Amino acid sequence: MVNFANFWQYIAPLQTALSGDQFNATKMAVQTYKLTRLPYLHDALEPHISTQIMQLHHTKHHQAYVNNLNSALQAHAKAVEAGDIAAQVALQPVIKFNAGGHINHALFWYNLAPADLPDTKIDAAPTLAVEIDKTWGSFDNFKKAFSDVLLKIQGSGWGWLVKDGQQLRIVTTKDQDPVVGGEVPLIGVDMWEHAYYLQYLNGKAAYVENIWNVINWKTAESRFVNGREDVFEKLKALL
Amino acid sequence: MSSALLRTTPALRGALRAGQASAAVSTSFVRGKATLPDLQYDYGALEPHISGKIMELHHKKHHQTYVTGLNTALQTIAEAESKGDAAKAASVAPLLNFHGGGHINHTLFWENLAPASREGGGEPDGALKKAISQDFGSFDTFRKQMNAALAGIQGSGWAWLVKDKQSGNLGLVTRANQDPVTGNYAPLLGIDAWEHAYYLQYENRKAEYFEAIWNVINWKTVASRFEKSA
């Protein structure tokens, strides 16, 4: 995912330099990202996702992506300043992995909700529900298809319900690759082992079955109706 | 299946690689069927470095799933072959690579571990020690580089000490998910960096697992692989 907030900070000084003005690299400020605040408590998704998992997942794993992203962006800014193109290229996969981790987890936390909220019922997504029925025949068929895709992921990765143009699709991304291109991520499910192992051990099918109880369909509906720019504009405030 | 198809289908090359590598641990295949190998030590024998619970789940559940998946993939391929359905056989290649790789990797892994009270831990000696010193500068440098390689894995995967069969040099490689080490590299020592290998004990602190595992490395096995790959 190209983060334009960052992108422009590299382009803007370049344009200045090209226009002949004195380019003072030391003035270049690198944006610092922060851990996304959860819209619920760590224990709010019990018994479907345990408190211990949520605590570690949020305050340790997600935090590590944020820290490593900030370090990589700092190092990248220095490499730009030094004109070290090799170092810049070497940092690209690190930036992609950690920025992807940050984006994916922020999207994930917000497409989950405590099971007792009405937001976790498909009725909270009236427009999206119609499109799901149109695409998969029924909500149950969709759930089966999505669960099947999640369980077939080899290694670490994510499953996503996306809006692609006017159509719905299920896609997977490996490791922390974010959903790229023009697709709108509606629902993301983390299939890394750290997302379920302490509670479900090797029984990932049970994790997939239970996560349906805490999917925030109200968020999915909003993402579906408002589209990609809106999703990422709102996401900015959470990163 | 035409040879042209074999040359031009990347997925099929993956399947062939997995097939070749399986020869290295052929003892665990009985009449063409993969079986879960017995461990040469108890589940609790690697404590406190790897917990008994991790070992039990890792061997009995995770490894077993790869064995089952491999046999299913082989069965599907055999059926497709009997019908002359090359496309169907080729479509199984990613599953064959994943489950076949998982079976090979774990089999090699269990054998290159040993209880700290027996062969586990310490440093290699003899020709292997000399080769490590030559190719990495020192054993300590090698260990640091291997840990850095493990820490750098994005997602699930493995790090391996390998021997380049052509040059004879030692090197470090990482593999994503369950991709096995194949081709010009002989795998000498593998360390599993999947979260299921450490999470119940070390949670997100994977660096601690990568430190602790050196206490249970079976250098006798590694040395024997080094000599046989000559």
Side-chain angles (χ1 to χ4, degrees), chain B residues 183-205:
Chain B
N184 189 40
Y185 293 137
L188 305 184
L189 164 66
I191 296 180
D192 191 345
W194 279 59
E195 288 175 323
H196 66 233
Y198 62 84
Y199 208 83
L200 289 182
Q201 185 176 0
Y202 295 96
E203 299 173 344
N204 62 302
R205 304 177 312 277

Side-chain angles (χ1 to χ4, degrees), chain B residues 84-153:
Chain B
D85 190 347
K88 174 74 185 167
S91 74
V92 186
L95 286 171
L96 182 62
N97 183 65
F98 183 66
H99 292 288
H103 181 37
I104 293 160
N105 291 339
H106 284 93
T107 304
L108 290 167
F109 182 54
W110 308 135
E111 288 171 359
N112 67 222
L113 298 180
S117 58
R118 292 190 353 222
E119 298 93 343
E123 293 187 18
D125 51 22
L128 177 61
K129 180 195 170 86
K130 215 177 129 190
I132 286 176
S133 299
Q134 227 162 46
D135 294 336
F136 293 94
S138 70
F139 176 72
D140 206 44
T141 308
F142 153 70
R143 238 183 60 139
K144 280 187 186 135
Q145 286 184 14
M146 184 103 171
N147 279 1
L150 285 160
I153 291 172

Side-chain angles (χ1 to χ4, degrees), chain B residues 1-9:
Chain B
M1 200 169 300
S2 76
S3 58
L5 185 63
L6 288 179
R7 279 201 306 274
T8 54
T9 309

